[in-house]
Amino acid sequence: MAEQHVIDAIMRVMEAAFDPVYGEAWTRSQLLGALVLPDTRYVLIDEDGNLVPGNFDRIAGFALLRRVLDEEELLLIAVRPESRARGLGGRLIERAVETAADLGCSKIFLEMRDDNPARHLYHAHGFRPVGIRRDYYSGRDGKRRNAITFMRAINHL
Ligand SMILES: CC(C)(COP(=O)(O)OP(=O)(O)OC[C@H]1O[C@@H](n2cnc3c(N)ncnc32)[C@H](O)[C@@H]1OP(=O)(O)O)[C@@H](O)C(=O)NCCC(=O)NCCS
């Protein structure tokens, strides 16, 4: 289970990064519920792009991951607005893929609201769309939005 200061750091990014209109952000209790599961883990990055930062006040982004057998799921990824477009999101993805490979995973999946501009980032990092879930997200604006499932195969050397 993650320590309190890690949960606090993730929640600070969560609250800053997700537009509440879309209903994608997790609550603290959802996060705690996920992190008690044995195969759920996180990657953190600080403002300077360090992946194992020591100072939890300077966390700029996180990725949350869950492994089921040999498949990894990227549950959430977020970077604070003021730290975006500097490659931090990409570094989180690549670290997520590396650690999934180390755990013996053959594929990594993620689900994304179909109008999220993050699709360009996922494409750039080798993810391709493999499925659609209709009306998966319900936003505060009353609209329901589809989720697109993306997948990247993990090659083992
Ligand atoms: C998606 C996210 C993590 C990307 O973080 P980042 O640190 O900016 O990522 P990088 O700097 O590595 O890559 C940025 C690329 O992502 C794409 N991108 C992601 N979000 C974008 C946005 N809102 N507007 C424009 N481009 C965006 C662009 O292709 C951009 O490439 P560019 O810099 O060459 O233009 C960040 O935008 C975020 O936290 N978004 C809100 C939360 C979210 O929607 N998460 C994904 C669903 S779980």
Side-chain angles (χ1 to χ4, degrees):
M1 181 61 194
E3 293 168 38
Q4 199 62 40
H5 59 278
V6 172
I7 305 284
D8 290 344
I10 291 176
M11 285 311 296
R12 280 198 295 275
V13 175
M14 189 91 75
E15 281 151 20
F18 286 94
D19 186 334
V21 163
Y22 300 118
E24 296 163 305
W26 289 18
T27 63
R28 191 179 187 90
S29 62
Q30 284 174 306
L31 178 65
L32 290 171
L35 287 172
V36 292
L37 302 174
D39 291 320
T40 305
R41 61 209 169 76
Y42 57 84
V43 180
L44 302 177
I45 196 162
D46 73 10
E47 295 160 11
D48 300 322
N50 299 309
L51 281 160
V52 190
N55 181 349
F56 289 91
D57 294 333
R58 299 186 65 245
I59 300 290
F62 72 87
L64 193 63
L65 298 142
R66 175 173 58 201
R67 185 174 65 85
V68 178
L69 301 174
D70 72 336
E71 292 183 354
E72 185 84 322
E73 186 176 2
L74 180 57
L75 297 167
L76 277 182
I77 180 168
V79 170
R80 297 183 67 89
E82 65 273 21
S83 297
R84 288 184 192 161
R86 289 197 282 117
L88 302 190
R91 292 202 72 190
L92 285 168
I93 290 175
E94 289 307 319
R95 174 51 67 96
V97 171
E98 280 164 28
T99 55
D102 290 346
L103 291 167
C105 292
S106 62
K107 293 172 182 167
I108 179 164
F109 290 89
L110 64 87
E111 236 149 44
M112 186 205 77
R113 159 172 63 80
D114 68 0
D115 55 354
N116 192 328
R119 90 167 36 236
H120 302 293
L121 177 65
Y122 299 142
H123 263 278
H125 288 271
F127 284 83
R128 296 295 175 261
V130 292
I132 183 163
R133 291 187 183 194
R134 303 241 169 244
D135 297 334
Y136 186 76
Y137 297 102
S138 46
R140 282 199 191 161
D141 57 0
K143 282 192 197 160
R144 299 188 75 88
R145 292 176 171 83
N146 299 337
I148 310 292
T149 304
F150 283 81
M151 193 269 283
R152 171 173 161 179
I154 297 176
N155 298 316
H156 293 273
L157 296 174

